[in-house]
Amino acid sequence: MQQISTTDYHTAGEPFRIVVAGLPPIPGDTVAERRSIAIGTGGATSPRPGALDDVRRLLTREPRGHAGMYGGFVVPPDDGGAHFGVLFWHKDGYSTACGHGTMALGAWAVDTGLVAAPDDGTALVRIDAPSGRVSATVHRSGGRTTAVTFRNVPTRVLARGVGLTVGGRPVAVDLAHSGAVYAALPAAALGLSVVPDRLAELTAAGRDVRAALEGHRALAEHRDGVYGVILYDELPDTPAGPHQRNVTVFADGQVDRSPCGSGTSARLALLADEGALGGERTLRHDSVIGTAFTGRVRGRRDGGVVTEVTGTVHRTGEHRFVLDPEDVLGAGFLL
């Protein structure tokens, strides 16, 4: 009987399931190579899933998971400069970047003692992701984690005002790469607002935008194409800076319950490009469920902006999942 052990967290409402035991060997010399191997031998593009992908499917499908589940396989780092590496996954396959997952991994590394942390102060957790080296600064007070700050790889604006027709409406979409490619546009451009009652329409719109951008010349260097579509509302500025509410639709119609960590990095780069952010100005970025991240631009590097995104992380449980060989549903199902 197969057994998989996990520790689960949520970052501002978005789940992140960390596999701590039960994984098969994961070949490859780097995190990026391991992801490529996983996709080639057992990812969404393979008709014959391998043992690693069996675990992903088991944890993202009912009855053990759900279509909105997200998680990571902890793997060795690329070198001694990081504490560990990670392969990010969701119901459709393996992503190159995940800000909310990086934040959850930071909290997990401190909770497990993998990275030492003071009762009061901060601890820096360095993680190798497929997109590059990222970090999570874990903020502590009274022996508890109070927040986590995600520092991303440099984020670059790819294109502004890309003209599309979505749902019969002409719209202009901005593109940025923040470890993965995100497309952003105001929800109002499609006659929508970012509220739970419009979630089905927002999800459909995100899928339509992603499909309309397939093969666009601005994505020529990015073979994975658009990963997420950010639909946002402009809200009145706070004293610290801009205030927006968003929903990010990623992969094949999956919805981020948090304000989206890597997506927030993309918004920060676009706002900085507009002159709306700089210095100590801060973006308050709300999610569709009302949780919030704050984000700042911390400088420039390698042709992009360095961003930091801060939010809350909480552990939700520890689990031992089993797969009975007599279970006719096997790894489960998606509805």
Side-chain angles (χ1 to χ4, degrees), residues 64-272:
R64 300 166 189 84
H66 53 79
M69 182 53 68
Y70 215 114
F73 300 139
V74 176
V75 298
D78 291 353
D79 58 50
H83 293 99
F84 54 87
V86 61
L87 299 182
F88 296 119
W89 44 260
H90 47 77
K91 73 175 178 65
D92 298 309
Y94 301 86
S95 56
T96 55
C98 178
H100 91 274
T102 300
M103 295 158 78
L105 285 163
W108 168 80
V110 167
D111 287 345
T112 59
L114 180 64
V115 176
D119 285 345
D120 297 284
T122 62
L124 181 65
V125 181
R126 297 179 297 275
I127 304 166
D128 281 334
S131 57
R133 185 158 293 166
V134 296
S135 68
T137 298
V138 181
H139 304 269
R140 305 271 291 170
S141 178
R144 293 180 58 84
T145 294
T146 57
V148 181
T149 296
F150 157 58
R151 177 171 280 212
N152 201 3
V153 298
T155 299
R156 295 179 294 111
V157 174
L158 299 180
R160 302 299 304 248
V162 175
L164 303 174
T165 300
V166 178
R169 294 172 179 258
V171 297
V173 174
D174 298 324
L175 299 173
H177 187 277
S178 55
V181 177
Y182 287 86
L185 73 161
L190 293 169
L192 299 170
S193 58
V194 181
V195 293
D197 289 348
R198 309 298 295 273
L199 191 58
E201 296 164 275
L202 291 162
T203 303
R207 279 177 160 153
D208 289 347
V209 169
R210 188 168 182 252
L213 285 166
E214 188 172 352
H216 192 277
R217 61 182 179 276
L219 304 173
E221 297 180 7
H222 304 281
R223 63 181 183 179
D224 289 333
V226 173
Y227 173 66
V229 176
I230 305 168
L231 297 130
Y232 63 89
D233 290 341
E234 295 279 5
L235 302 175
D237 284 2
T238 71
H243 186 191
Q244 297 182 345
R245 178 173 55 236
N246 91 98
V247 64
T248 300
V249 181
F250 64 92
D252 186 22
Q254 200 163 331
V255 173
D256 200 322
R257 277 75 171 158
S258 80
C260 188
S262 299
T264 299
S265 286
R267 291 300 303 142
L268 289 167
L270 291 164
L271 287 166

